[in-house]
Amino acid sequence: MSEVVATPMPRIGDVAPDFTATTTHGEITFSEWQGDDWVVFFSHPADFTPVCTTELAEFARRNEEFTERGVKLLGLSVDSIHSHVAWVQNIKEILDIQIPYPMVADINMKVANKYGLIHPGESSTATVRAVFVIDPGREIRALIYYPLANGRNVDEVIRLVDSLQTSDKYVCATPVNWNVGEKVIVPPPKTEEEVQDRLNSDYEKLSFYLMKREL
Ligand code: BEZ
């Protein structure tokens, strides 16, 4: 039996590790399945557990909002494909929700180890609640980690996607608690000339280094 070796945890700016795996939508090779889309790749600790069920269902309810943003959802846990299939059926029965996105069956932790999803201080057998936001160039753009007992906030994942896509499109940053439609942050000046340009602009000026503008 070949030993699975944990690689260093991928970080922001790294290329998302590629893999081939069995999913509830058949076998996929991540890079091919992604195509030219963004991906929100998220792990949960275990099938048939209460917090995970609420998360899976909420990602399913909000799937259309991800699709509108050019984002594919992909789930994963250290469970068998039979468990995933049975859980998807159970969620349909108890919540009347069809899970529209694939879930990776990672019983041998091959993908979990590539993505650094086992945090032994929390659990050596289950993946933590991780979210990787991966752009169309397969670059990891953001990471979120939550522990086993606490569910994530899907509003925040969508807000994060909006922030990243807005920063890319308009070459700007987004302030705390930013939401679509609100002013964005002008990148701080790097030259004296840029300071003057900003001071002469109609931006909202809080300081020479903190200016906001409408999109
Ligand atoms: C849950 O999803 O409810 C859960 C999973 C693993 C550990 C604790 C809670």
Side-chain angles (χ1 to χ4, degrees):
M1 205 172 80
S2 65
E3 191 188 342
V4 177
V5 179
T7 50
M9 282 167 68
R11 292 178 291 194
I12 291 174
D14 289 350
V15 174
D18 205 7
F19 60 86
T20 298
T22 304
T23 81
T24 47
H25 292 191
E27 184 176 286
I28 65 162
T29 295
F30 178 76
S31 54
E32 290 168 14
W33 172 83
Q34 173 179 17
D36 295 327
D37 290 315
W38 288 71
V39 175
V40 166
F41 182 27
F42 63 97
S43 56
H44 64 272
D47 295 354
F48 292 101
T49 52
V51 177
C52 298
T53 301
T54 63
E55 289 189 322
L56 262 275
E58 185 62 9
F59 274 114
R61 282 189 204 98
R62 311 292 295 275
N63 184 58
E64 193 55 37
E65 291 172 67
F66 286 101
T67 306
E68 284 164 7
R69 289 161 170 80
V71 179
K72 285 178 175 158
L73 293 174
L74 182 65
L76 174 144
S77 69
V78 181
D79 284 290
S80 71
I81 193 64
H82 307 295
S83 172
H84 277 350
V85 168
W87 191 32
V88 167
Q89 287 306 309
N90 182 250
I91 290 173
K92 197 154 83 182
E93 281 164 28
I94 65 173
L95 298 175
D96 195 25
I97 289 167
Q98 180 69 48
I99 303 298
Y101 48 82
M103 275 204 293
V104 173
D106 195 35
I107 195 81
N108 57 10
M109 299 187 184
K110 232 168 107 180
V111 183
N113 282 315
K114 276 192 172 186
Y115 276 79
L117 301 175
I118 303 292
H119 296 197
E122 182 72 343
S123 170
S124 56
T125 55
T127 46
V128 292
R129 299 182 196 279
V131 177
F132 290 76
V133 184
I134 299 164
D135 75 12
R138 210 144 59 82
E139 181 180 328
I140 295 172
R141 298 292 301 280
L143 299 163
I144 303 173
Y145 291 105
Y146 269 45
L148 300 196
N150 306 98
R152 288 156 287 196
N153 184 324
V154 177
D155 282 336
E156 171 57 11
V157 178
I158 292 173
R159 196 195 71 87
L160 176 57
V161 168
D162 283 337
S163 297
L164 290 165
Q165 293 184 343
T166 297
S167 292
D168 284 1
K169 188 168 174 189
Y170 296 102
V171 193
C172 63
T174 53
V176 63
N177 296 340
W178 178 87
N179 275 298
V180 167
E182 294 174 3
K183 287 180 181 171
V184 297
I185 301 256
V186 180
K190 289 191 279 304
T191 62
E192 286 296 314
E193 194 183 348
E194 285 184 3
V195 172
Q196 285 313 315
D197 287 348
R198 282 161 174 70
L199 289 173
N200 293 332
S201 73
D202 56 4
Y203 298 151
E204 178 188 333
K205 302 177 189 88
L206 297 148
S207 163
F208 77 93
Y209 69 88
L210 175 51
M211 296 192 187
K212 293 185 182 179
R213 70 174 172 97
E214 304 276 1
L215 286 179

